[in-house]
Amino acid sequence: MSKDVIALTERMPDALSILAGLLAGGPDLRVETTGEGAVVQLCDAEGRPLVSIEVPLMLQVPGEATRLLGPGAAPSGDGPAWWVEARAAVGVPRAEQLAGAFAARLTMLLGGQVWPPDAPGTVGAARPVDVSGVTAVPVPAAAQPAVDMLTDKAAVVLQDRPVVPMTSWLSEALRATVESDRSLQILTPPHCRLSLPTRLLLQSTPSRWVVQDERCGYYDGLTGAVLRWQDDAFSPDRDENGETPVADAFTDVRPTDEHQLIVSFRTLHRPTADLVLGGALEAAWQALTGGPPAGWGTSEPAGLTWSRRQLTELAYERAPLPIWTVVVGTPDRPAVATLRVIRTPDGVEEDITLTVGHGPGEKPALQALPELADELVTRHGLQTMMCQLREARRDLNTPPHYEHPPLPCAFVLGPTEVREAGRDTASRTPLQERPVRLGPSARPGFYYPLGNGETAESWTSFEQLLHHLRGAASA
């Protein structure tokens, strides 16, 4: 598995401290940069990479390190910490020691701690590691430090950490594999989980989560399909009947009283000079959690404190290209959102999925949904919104076994979509409950209750509603 080592430092790493950490490997190694300077590589004398170090990321958001690494990874002190991730080349026996020595030397100079605390190379890191006789395995995707094996069909990434986050280099690997018509395949042991942003991105691309299993070999962590390595990629296995079996480990599920409330919505704004993005997400966060978001970033960990102004500046800076961001909450109320800003011919669109975790005895704020929908229609240019409830982990991470699919509890149409469907059609549906009118009477939206999110009958109601609305639009 991957040899990822993370230094959580108390003071900001500068160029000299990074260099001092790299020199823990000894004088026979070379330091090079890639990815336009975003990644520093420690190479052997022949230039083959042994360890890749990503640019330091300041964590201003309480709980982010703990969310992704576990309770033992909380930074010491009340101030910010810096997250410096080192990744050892797979197949090089001493590369992991080099990564550990780098992280340990860095924390010795700047204060802080190393994750995992027992990483090879962290003991005696003040002394250079003996690298005599080390031969690096050539990295197939030298420009992609996250990729451990590359074929014409797949880019395989090996991970062994409590939660697999969508780090900046993993998101870059995903982008590169999609552009090259490959499948990104993340291979993990069975104790790993995916962060919510990682799961959502894998499900929206031709990617796969491959889980090692002592009984069947490998299986898909999101579908349970037994996999095997064939034709240069992990793909579903077939039995004598041509069917793909489901791994026993995937179906080994215990009931839980934890739930997730999922609210997915799109907004559209005129591209005016005074436009400030993020207002719809902030309103939803306040309504469903009782407070504002805590932090955000373009990858995980989300290191920046929440700022609508900074989000807007980034969107303008990268326009007309879209931006994808992660938004996180506080440890006492787990909440994670992905927000994508897209420039379209009609204006500036925000595509948002907000998920809030609830433990035993905690009731999801379903009663707040109609008022939230009204605010989004009135003030934030809502187009559509889908509200769902599922039985799943409070911490929002995805384990490699079956989880109940979400069940719809409400659907919302904004004024533009109501006009397209026809106001009479939108206001008179075959559902038992009448829709709730939202916003101004001249340009209304409608909120459609679909149930309490506890029975599959809500899907039947949703299908009836869509058939009714689409039938009118196509007439």
Side-chain angles (χ1 to χ4, degrees), residues 118-201:
D118 58 350
T122 55
V123 178
R127 301 187 302 273
V129 177
D130 180 13
V131 295
S132 58
V134 170
T135 301
V137 174
V139 178
Q144 296 295 330
V147 175
D148 296 301
M149 183 167 57
L150 191 69
T151 72
D152 290 339
K153 294 184 177 180
V156 180
V157 175
L158 310 181
Q159 291 280 271
D160 186 359
R161 52 206 298 173
V163 178
V164 180
M166 186 51 61
T167 61
S168 58
W169 54 7
L170 187 56
S171 63
E172 177 64 16
L174 178 61
R175 181 199 61 78
T177 55
V178 170
E179 290 182 354
S180 61
D181 293 325
R182 291 182 173 92
S183 168
L184 180 67
Q185 302 191 334
I186 301 177
L187 175 59
T188 76
H191 63 261
C192 296
R193 303 185 300 276
L194 300 185
S195 73
L196 179 63
T198 300
R199 175 176 65 83
L200 291 176
L201 282 180

Side-chain angles (χ1 to χ4, degrees), residues 8-9 41 53 57 91 146 187 201 205 210 217 222 232 240 292 369:
L8 294 168
T9 68
Q41 289 185 329
I53 297 100
L57 173 67
L187 175 59
L201 282 180
T205 60
V210 183
L222 297 177
D232 293 332
E240 59 276 8
L369 293 176

